[in-house]
Amino acid sequence: MHEREVKGILSARNGINIYRGCTHGCIYCDSRSNCYQMHHDFEDIEVKLNAPKVLEDALRRKRKKCMIGTGVMRDNGIPTVVWLSPILPFINDTEENIRGILDYCIEAKVHGIICFGMGLTLREGNREYFYKKLDEHFPGMKTRYIERYNYAYQVPSKENHVS
């Protein structure tokens, strides 16, 4: 882990993240993509030291009230919305799995579910990592992805529908 002061913290869509990088190791994470210009190992967390002050300044400049996406979920009395993405073709795109996720959302009393397209994105940087991890965890799956999607940016599932 390392620390850094930043100039901004609130994204154009009002998302906030007080750090860069992650230790979860999700194989599908788009945040590994080169377009985010992370200049350190993804697993080396960069803490934004001045996050509270920068956020306060950004919120003061907002003209309208808005929802801020924090990425941490309802235990502190904050309404929780689940971002249902990505659905991984051939891996978790069954109707049974999606219905199970929706059941968990009901059980957790979330306030809503957001779907900005349920497919995986494979941008440069993320694609290579994802394909490498497919080889490790799902032998033969990389070949199926390349045959169907090759180097496509979006990787939608043919099965991601729930009636």
Side-chain angles (χ1 to χ4, degrees):
M1 180 167 55
H2 66 281
E3 300 172 335
R4 179 174 162 218
E5 291 206 4
V6 295
K7 294 180 181 178
I9 193 165
L10 199 58
S11 74
R13 292 188 175 165
N14 298 320
I16 181 176
N17 202 332
I18 60 172
Y19 60 89
R20 290 187 79 195
C22 182
T23 59
H24 291 163
C26 302
I27 69 171
Y28 53 80
C29 184
D30 183 63
S31 295
R32 293 178 186 280
S33 300
N34 293 347
C35 66
Y36 295 110
Q37 301 175 15
M38 188 154 329
H39 302 292
H40 62 279
D41 288 338
F42 189 72
E43 290 77 13
D44 177 22
I45 306 300
E46 180 178 272
V47 177
K48 299 173 183 177
L49 282 177
N50 57 336
K53 172 78 172 108
V54 173
L55 177 61
E56 185 179 331
D57 292 345
L59 292 176
R60 193 175 296 120
R61 290 189 304 272
K62 285 281 185 192
R63 292 183 182 162
K64 294 182 178 181
K65 287 185 177 183
C66 61
M67 183 185 308
I68 303 296
T70 64
V72 295
M73 285 213 216
R74 64 158 227 257
D75 290 346
N76 292 320
I78 299 170
T80 303
V81 178
V82 170
W83 185 350
L84 184 59
S85 178
I87 299 299
L88 304 173
F90 314 118
I91 297 173
N92 69 351
D93 62 345
T94 66
E95 182 175 336
E96 176 185 18
N97 183 63
I98 294 171
R99 286 188 184 278
I101 292 169
L102 297 176
D103 288 342
Y104 283 128
C105 290
I106 292 167
E107 185 180 317
K109 297 180 171 80
V110 302
H111 281 70
I113 298 170
I114 298 172
C115 300
F116 294 120
M118 295 170 72
L120 174 68
T121 56
L122 290 179
R123 297 185 224 213
E124 185 180 349
N126 179 49
R127 178 188 319 111
E128 296 79 6
Y129 183 83
F130 179 72
Y131 281 167
K132 175 184 166 199
K133 291 300 181 179
L134 281 181
D135 278 343
E136 289 177 27
H137 299 287
F138 302 95
M141 192 63 69
K142 175 182 170 182
T143 302
R144 291 180 75 183
Y145 269 78
I146 290 173
E147 286 173 355
R148 177 166 295 168
Y149 305 108
N150 200 10
Y151 288 100
Y153 167 69
Q154 288 192 315
V155 180
S157 167
K158 287 185 163 189
E159 305 300 326
N160 67 2
H161 59 277
V162 176
S163 52

